[in-house]
Amino acid sequence: MAREQFQTLTEPMYYILLALTRECCGVDIMERVRQISGGRIKVGPGTLYAMLSKFEENNVIKKTTETGRRKSYIITETGIQMLKDEYERLKAMIRDGEDNIDF
Amino acid sequence: MAREQFQTLTEPMYYILLALTRECCGVDIMERVRQISGGRIKVGPGTLYAMLSKFEENNVIKKTTETGRRKSYIITETGIQMLKDEYERLKAMIRDGEDNIDF
DNA sequence: TTGACAATATCGAGTGTCGATATTATGATG
DNA sequence: CATCATAATATCGACACTCGATATTGTCAA
């Protein structure tokens, strides 16, 4: 399991996982997503915390430390594989686009 | 209007629009999406017809002919612009990925 | 004129998104 | 130590998309 769900990542999911290639807590992730995307993407708390739960359940990320209320996470091997798959999917979409329209 | 919605296209939306760079009716679109994606993507009728309505409402596509029950559509300039925007978004996601992980 | 088929349309359940708001733990201050 | 501001996480309801199963409807052949 864990790979049945999330066959295709949404944009917020993709950036959350990208942020978690370094250990981060929730608010750090929001900040890092903004940085990584050059300000293009902003993930709201509703999306973020819902996804953190779901990702942890599915071993896509794992909790590292929990000091007080602050919980930090990092991506797992499974999560990295998901990012790679997503990267390939994006490439495929671009290729299929280029084959059918002049961009 | 018409450009407030659909800032980011989903994978099915993207392929439906790509298919409609040629005049097509609904079932033709399903077939063409399969071809264009090399068999990777299959859009179901629920998704397809819901989207055709929404796209037509928003002038992203327009009806060309209606012979009997069969309705054909083609993408509009607005739709082409949306595809271009989506193409840029995909490129940005790929770039942001490459900057943060070794694919 | 009826029946098979082709094409479109609808439905309900599931999932993700979002901002607004609520909750809770911590540390500083008096 | 009490309490209060703040930081961080959690929850909520409304909305949008996806999907397959099923229903509807128009056309043509016999």
Side-chain angles (χ1 to χ4, degrees):
Chain A
M1 61 222 72
R3 302 311 324 286
E4 264 69 80
Q5 334 233 45
F6 314 125
Q7 317 88 313
T8 79
L9 301 182
T10 61
E11 185 172 62
M13 292 184 202
Y14 181 74
Y15 280 94
I16 290 170
L17 290 186
L18 233 32
L20 283 174
T21 52
R22 287 193 203 156
E23 183 184 27
C24 281
C25 75
V27 292
D28 292 345
I29 293 172
M30 302 203 215
E31 176 55 23
R32 226 165 110 63
V33 164
R34 233 180 296 121
Q35 285 178 357
I36 288 177
S37 66
R40 202 173 58 82
I41 309 295
K42 182 172 174 305
V43 210
T47 307
L48 178 63
Y49 291 105
M51 272 306 142
L52 287 181
S53 296
K54 200 156 265 198
F55 279 158
E56 196 188 7
E57 259 176 40
N58 287 274
N59 305 307
V60 173
I61 65 175
K62 65 182 178 215
K63 199 181 296 173
T64 52
T65 64
E66 181 165 2
T67 63
R69 214 163 189 231
R70 181 192 199 95
K71 299 178 188 173
S72 291
Y73 300 90
I74 197 166
I75 195 170
T76 62
E77 272 307 315
T78 303
I80 289 178
Q81 188 54 50
M82 278 177 42
L83 274 178
K84 290 185 176 171
D85 291 351
E86 180 64 13
Y87 179 75
E88 292 306 327
R89 186 179 74 92
L90 294 172
K91 287 247 178 197
M93 286 181 74
I94 284 192
R95 253 184 278 114
D96 294 338
E98 285 169 346
D99 287 349
N100 285 279
I101 192 173
D102 277 349
F103 284 125
Chain B
M1 62 223 70
R3 302 312 326 284
E4 263 69 79
Q5 334 232 44
F6 314 123
Q7 316 89 316
T8 78
L9 301 183
T10 61
E11 184 171 63
M13 291 184 202
Y14 180 74
Y15 280 94
I16 289 170
L17 290 186
L18 232 33
L20 283 174
T21 52
R22 287 194 202 155
E23 183 184 28
C24 281
C25 75
V27 292
D28 292 345
I29 294 171
M30 302 202 214
E31 176 54 25
R32 228 165 107 64
V33 164
R34 232 179 299 123
Q35 284 178 357
I36 288 177
S37 66
R40 202 173 57 82
I41 310 294
K42 181 172 176 306
V43 211
T47 307
L48 178 63
Y49 291 105
M51 273 306 141
L52 287 181
S53 295
K54 199 155 265 194
F55 279 157
E56 195 187 8
E57 259 176 39
N58 286 276
N59 305 307
V60 173
I61 64 175
K62 66 181 179 217
K63 199 181 296 174
T64 53
T65 63
E66 182 166 1
T67 62
R69 215 166 187 228
R70 180 193 199 96
K71 300 178 187 172
S72 292
Y73 300 90
I74 197 165
I75 196 169
T76 62
E77 272 307 316
T78 303
I80 289 178
Q81 189 53 51
M82 280 177 41
L83 273 179
K84 290 185 177 171
D85 292 349
E86 180 64 13
Y87 179 76
E88 292 307 327
R89 186 178 75 92
L90 294 173
K91 286 246 179 200
M93 287 181 73
I94 285 188
R95 253 184 277 113
D96 294 337
E98 286 168 347
D99 288 348
N100 286 279
I101 192 174
D102 277 350
F103 284 125

